[in-house]
Amino acid sequence: MKKDRVHAALFGLAVGDALGVPVEFKDRDYLKRFPVTDMQEYGTHGQPKGTWSDDSSLTFCLAESLCKKYDINDMAKKFVEWRNEEIWTPHGKVFDIGISTNQAIHSIATGTKPMLAGGDSEMDNGNGSLMRILPLIFYIKDLKIEKRFDIIKDVSSITHAHIRSILACFIYLEYALNLLKGKTKWVAYKEMQIEVNYFLNNNPICSQNEMDKFHKILENQVGIYELQALYKYEENDINSGGYVLDSLEASLWCILTSEKYEETVLKAVNLGSDTDTTAAIAGGLAGLLYGYDAIPGNWINVLSRREDVTELCDQLSNKYRI
């Protein structure tokens, strides 16, 4: 049965996540010898086949909150309920959580306002807000870019408030929005570059030094040097750890160098290291690009809480008329 873009995005993300969970922290050399080609079980976290991680859990928490209305306090409350009461877990237990995310949620649970909870130092640039931000596109899709940025900044800042994490989320969602509008991956990417560069150059959001850190993605010129486009990089030049900039580059690289959903997420997993998150981030984009029907049915069928995820997607789709 053909599903809409909400189902494509959220299932695309969760399936990528579940493919990566069993081999999280495995390095690239190991995965060259033993590549992931299908859903696996047990492995790193000892979980059954089709189990998704905190990436999908927090994505679903955000989506569920948006089904009611846009409310930062409610989003934060859902995150606390996930960590403390284990809502939106695949099997009733939290088995993985990032350091910065854990610290922020603990701060919220002990009385800190959500907008002040996220770490804002340079060391607080893990991929914990990028991995969960995708459902926000359905709320911001018809807003002007200035308003989109402000909302993305606030939602990222619940757990990750440094401008680098915010910019990563902004770039990711701007590209996702273009895919949501039905543009090809290349047109969507080029238009994202133009829109983001224009916005950053005309708004005092961050320093030039901070903008330059995204040069591989935005094809900025640094000094006198023309920089190589992201899709032209070799795999050895792509990092896939938990640093937010690496995760964004890796996921976009997988999209740009692949031709279908399955190829995209398997390429992301087999980059190694933070396998579940890279594949979740790339998988959400690939779902938007190729559609729900492009996700292998046997992967969807083994996904934990598939019926609950479908119901959540139905609610979000009805709320925002996607």
Side-chain angles (χ1 to χ4, degrees), residues 17-18 20-26 41-48 51-55 91 93-97 273-276:
D17 184 5
V21 164
V23 292
E24 187 178 16
F25 310 129
K26 296 293 185 183
E41 55 191 349
Y42 307 123
T44 301
H45 297 285
Q47 298 294 316
T51 299
W52 28 267
S53 74
D54 55 329
D55 305 45
H91 305 294
K93 184 174 179 60
V94 174
F95 64 87
D96 192 19
I97 184 170
S273 193
D274 201 357
T275 52
D276 56 332

Short mmCIF file of all heavy atoms in Angstrom, two decimals, residues 17-18 20-26 41-48 51-55 91 93-97 273-276:
data_model
loop_
_atom_site.label_atom_id
_atom_site.label_comp_id
_atom_site.label_asym_id
_atom_site.label_seq_id
_atom_site.Cartn_x
_atom_site.Cartn_y
_atom_site.Cartn_z
N ASP A 17 18.13 3.23 11.04
CA ASP A 17 18.56 3.11 12.42
C ASP A 17 18.70 1.64 12.82
O ASP A 17 19.73 1.20 13.36
CB ASP A 17 17.53 3.82 13.30
CG ASP A 17 17.89 3.88 14.77
OD1 ASP A 17 19.00 3.45 15.16
OD2 ASP A 17 17.05 4.39 15.56
N ALA A 18 17.65 0.86 12.55
CA ALA A 18 17.65 -0.56 12.95
C ALA A 18 18.71 -1.37 12.22
O ALA A 18 19.26 -2.32 12.78
CB ALA A 18 16.26 -1.16 12.69
N GLY A 20 21.61 -0.25 11.54
CA GLY A 20 22.89 0.11 12.12
C GLY A 20 23.11 -0.32 13.56
O GLY A 20 24.25 -0.43 14.02
N VAL A 21 22.01 -0.56 14.30
CA VAL A 21 22.12 -0.88 15.73
C VAL A 21 23.04 -2.07 16.02
O VAL A 21 23.90 -2.00 16.91
CB VAL A 21 20.72 -1.09 16.35
CG1 VAL A 21 20.80 -1.80 17.69
CG2 VAL A 21 20.02 0.25 16.52
N PRO A 22 22.92 -3.20 15.30
CA PRO A 22 23.74 -4.37 15.67
C PRO A 22 25.24 -4.17 15.47
O PRO A 22 26.03 -4.93 16.06
CB PRO A 22 23.21 -5.47 14.74
CG PRO A 22 21.85 -5.04 14.35
CD PRO A 22 21.95 -3.55 14.25
N VAL A 23 25.63 -3.19 14.65
CA VAL A 23 27.06 -3.01 14.38
C VAL A 23 27.56 -1.63 14.83
O VAL A 23 28.63 -1.19 14.41
CB VAL A 23 27.38 -3.22 12.88
CG1 VAL A 23 27.20 -4.66 12.49
CG2 VAL A 23 26.55 -2.28 11.99
N GLU A 24 26.81 -0.98 15.70
CA GLU A 24 27.27 0.32 16.20
C GLU A 24 28.66 0.17 16.82
O GLU A 24 28.94 -0.78 17.55
CB GLU A 24 26.29 0.90 17.23
CG GLU A 24 26.65 2.32 17.63
CD GLU A 24 25.68 2.95 18.61
OE1 GLU A 24 24.88 2.21 19.22
OE2 GLU A 24 25.73 4.17 18.76
N PHE A 25 29.51 1.11 16.52
CA PHE A 25 30.90 1.19 16.99
C PHE A 25 31.87 0.27 16.24
O PHE A 25 33.07 0.33 16.49
CB PHE A 25 31.03 0.93 18.50
CG PHE A 25 30.08 1.74 19.34
CD1 PHE A 25 29.27 1.13 20.29
CD2 PHE A 25 29.98 3.11 19.17
CE1 PHE A 25 28.39 1.87 21.06
CE2 PHE A 25 29.10 3.87 19.94
CZ PHE A 25 28.30 3.24 20.89
N LYS A 26 31.37 -0.56 15.33
CA LYS A 26 32.28 -1.35 14.50
C LYS A 26 32.99 -0.41 13.52
O LYS A 26 32.37 0.51 12.97
CB LYS A 26 31.53 -2.43 13.72
CG LYS A 26 30.86 -3.49 14.57
CD LYS A 26 31.88 -4.34 15.31
CE LYS A 26 31.20 -5.48 16.06
NZ LYS A 26 32.17 -6.29 16.85
N GLU A 41 20.52 -9.32 13.97
CA GLU A 41 20.06 -9.31 15.35
C GLU A 41 21.24 -9.42 16.31
O GLU A 41 22.36 -9.76 15.91
CB GLU A 41 19.08 -10.45 15.60
CG GLU A 41 19.60 -11.82 15.23
CD GLU A 41 18.50 -12.86 15.25
OE1 GLU A 41 17.39 -12.57 15.75
OE2 GLU A 41 18.74 -13.98 14.76
N TYR A 42 20.96 -9.07 17.57
CA TYR A 42 21.96 -9.11 18.64
C TYR A 42 23.11 -8.14 18.34
O TYR A 42 22.88 -6.96 18.23
CB TYR A 42 22.41 -10.55 18.90
CG TYR A 42 21.24 -11.46 19.13
CD1 TYR A 42 21.02 -12.59 18.36
CD2 TYR A 42 20.29 -11.14 20.12
CE1 TYR A 42 19.91 -13.40 18.56
CE2 TYR A 42 19.19 -11.94 20.33
CZ TYR A 42 19.00 -13.07 19.56
OH TYR A 42 17.89 -13.85 19.77
N GLY A 43 24.33 -8.58 18.23
CA GLY A 43 25.42 -7.66 17.96
C GLY A 43 25.72 -6.75 19.14
O GLY A 43 25.61 -7.15 20.31
N THR A 44 26.07 -5.49 18.84
CA THR A 44 26.59 -4.55 19.84
C THR A 44 25.72 -4.44 21.08
O THR A 44 26.21 -4.47 22.21
CB THR A 44 26.76 -3.16 19.20
OG1 THR A 44 27.67 -3.25 18.10
CG2 THR A 44 27.30 -2.16 20.22
N HIS A 45 24.43 -4.29 20.89
CA HIS A 45 23.53 -4.05 22.02
C HIS A 45 22.70 -5.27 22.41
O HIS A 45 21.85 -5.17 23.32
CB HIS A 45 22.61 -2.86 21.71
CG HIS A 45 23.33 -1.57 21.51
ND1 HIS A 45 23.87 -0.84 22.54
CD2 HIS A 45 23.63 -0.88 20.37
CE1 HIS A 45 24.44 0.25 22.07
NE2 HIS A 45 24.32 0.25 20.75
N GLY A 46 22.90 -6.40 21.74
CA GLY A 46 22.17 -7.61 22.07
C GLY A 46 20.67 -7.51 21.85
O GLY A 46 19.89 -8.12 22.59
N GLN A 47 20.26 -6.77 20.82
CA GLN A 47 18.84 -6.53 20.58
C GLN A 47 18.30 -7.41 19.44
O GLN A 47 19.03 -7.77 18.53
CB GLN A 47 18.62 -5.05 20.22
CG GLN A 47 19.01 -4.08 21.32
CD GLN A 47 18.13 -4.22 22.55
OE1 GLN A 47 16.91 -4.33 22.45
NE2 GLN A 47 18.76 -4.21 23.73
N PRO A 48 16.99 -7.71 19.47
CA PRO A 48 16.39 -8.48 18.39
C PRO A 48 16.43 -7.74 17.05
O PRO A 48 16.58 -6.51 17.01
CB PRO A 48 14.94 -8.67 18.86
CG PRO A 48 14.95 -8.41 20.32
CD PRO A 48 16.05 -7.41 20.56
N THR A 51 15.29 -3.75 15.77
CA THR A 51 15.28 -2.84 16.92
C THR A 51 15.92 -1.50 16.56
O THR A 51 17.03 -1.46 16.06
CB THR A 51 16.05 -3.45 18.11
OG1 THR A 51 15.41 -4.66 18.51
CG2 THR A 51 16.10 -2.49 19.29
N TRP A 52 15.21 -0.42 16.83
CA TRP A 52 15.76 0.91 16.62
C TRP A 52 16.28 1.50 17.93
O TRP A 52 16.00 0.98 19.00
CB TRP A 52 14.75 1.85 15.97
CG TRP A 52 13.30 1.58 16.23
CD1 TRP A 52 12.46 0.82 15.45
CD2 TRP A 52 12.49 2.06 17.32
NE1 TRP A 52 11.18 0.80 16.00
CE2 TRP A 52 11.17 1.56 17.13
CE3 TRP A 52 12.73 2.87 18.42
CZ2 TRP A 52 10.12 1.84 18.00
CZ3 TRP A 52 11.69 3.15 19.30
CH2 TRP A 52 10.40 2.64 19.09
N SER A 53 17.05 2.56 17.81
CA SER A 53 17.75 3.12 18.98
C SER A 53 17.12 4.43 19.45
O SER A 53 16.00 4.78 19.06
CB SER A 53 19.22 3.38 18.60
OG SER A 53 19.32 4.51 17.76
N ASP A 54 17.87 5.16 20.26
CA ASP A 54 17.43 6.46 20.75
C ASP A 54 17.17 7.44 19.62
O ASP A 54 16.37 8.37 19.77
CB ASP A 54 18.44 7.03 21.74
CG ASP A 54 19.85 7.13 21.18
OD1 ASP A 54 20.23 6.30 20.33
OD2 ASP A 54 20.59 8.03 21.61
N ASP A 55 17.83 7.26 18.48
CA ASP A 55 17.61 8.15 17.33
C ASP A 55 16.13 8.15 16.96
O ASP A 55 15.50 9.21 16.82
CB ASP A 55 18.42 7.66 16.12
CG ASP A 55 19.90 7.52 16.39
OD1 ASP A 55 20.26 6.97 17.45
OD2 ASP A 55 20.70 7.95 15.56
N HIS A 91 11.44 -1.92 22.97
CA HIS A 91 11.09 -3.10 23.76
C HIS A 91 10.92 -2.75 25.25
O HIS A 91 11.15 -3.59 26.11
CB HIS A 91 12.15 -4.19 23.60
CG HIS A 91 12.41 -4.56 22.18
ND1 HIS A 91 11.48 -5.17 21.38
CD2 HIS A 91 13.52 -4.39 21.40
CE1 HIS A 91 11.99 -5.37 20.17
NE2 HIS A 91 13.22 -4.90 20.17
N LYS A 93 12.66 -0.58 27.11
CA LYS A 93 13.87 -0.26 27.86
C LYS A 93 14.80 0.62 27.03
O LYS A 93 15.05 0.34 25.85
CB LYS A 93 14.61 -1.55 28.26
CG LYS A 93 15.83 -1.31 29.15
CD LYS A 93 16.41 -2.63 29.61
CE LYS A 93 17.66 -2.42 30.48
NZ LYS A 93 17.35 -1.64 31.69
N VAL A 94 15.31 1.69 27.63
CA VAL A 94 16.32 2.53 26.99
C VAL A 94 17.66 1.81 27.06
O VAL A 94 18.12 1.46 28.15
CB VAL A 94 16.43 3.90 27.69
CG1 VAL A 94 17.59 4.71 27.11
CG2 VAL A 94 15.13 4.68 27.57
N PHE A 95 18.28 1.55 25.93
CA PHE A 95 19.56 0.84 25.94
C PHE A 95 20.71 1.68 25.39
O PHE A 95 21.84 1.22 25.37
CB PHE A 95 19.46 -0.48 25.16
CG PHE A 95 19.18 -0.33 23.69
CD1 PHE A 95 20.22 -0.15 22.78
CD2 PHE A 95 17.88 -0.39 23.20
CE1 PHE A 95 19.97 -0.03 21.42
CE2 PHE A 95 17.63 -0.28 21.84
CZ PHE A 95 18.67 -0.09 20.95
N ASP A 96 20.41 2.91 24.95
CA ASP A 96 21.46 3.75 24.39
C ASP A 96 21.03 5.20 24.52
O ASP A 96 19.88 5.54 24.24
CB ASP A 96 21.70 3.39 22.92
CG ASP A 96 22.97 4.01 22.35
OD1 ASP A 96 23.84 4.40 23.15
OD2 ASP A 96 23.09 4.08 21.12
N ILE A 97 21.95 6.07 24.95
CA ILE A 97 21.65 7.50 25.05
C ILE A 97 22.97 8.26 24.99
O ILE A 97 23.96 7.88 25.61
CB ILE A 97 20.87 7.83 26.35
CG1 ILE A 97 20.49 9.31 26.39
CG2 ILE A 97 21.65 7.42 27.58
CD1 ILE A 97 19.51 9.65 27.52
N SER A 273 31.46 3.02 12.68
CA SER A 273 31.43 3.91 13.83
C SER A 273 29.99 4.16 14.30
O SER A 273 29.35 3.26 14.81
CB SER A 273 32.17 5.22 13.52
OG SER A 273 32.38 5.95 14.70
N ASP A 274 29.45 5.37 14.11
CA ASP A 274 28.10 5.67 14.59
C ASP A 274 27.09 5.22 13.54
O ASP A 274 26.36 6.01 12.94
CB ASP A 274 27.96 7.15 14.89
CG ASP A 274 26.81 7.44 15.84
OD1 ASP A 274 26.10 6.50 16.22
OD2 ASP A 274 26.63 8.61 16.21
N THR A 275 27.05 3.92 13.33
CA THR A 275 26.33 3.32 12.21
C THR A 275 24.83 3.60 12.23
O THR A 275 24.24 3.90 11.19
CB THR A 275 26.55 1.80 12.20
OG1 THR A 275 26.22 1.28 13.50
CG2 THR A 275 28.00 1.46 11.89
N ASP A 276 24.22 3.49 13.40
CA ASP A 276 22.77 3.67 13.48
C ASP A 276 22.36 5.10 13.17
O ASP A 276 21.39 5.35 12.46
CB ASP A 276 22.23 3.22 14.84
CG ASP A 276 22.89 3.92 16.01
OD1 ASP A 276 24.06 4.33 15.90
OD2 ASP A 276 22.23 4.06 17.05
#
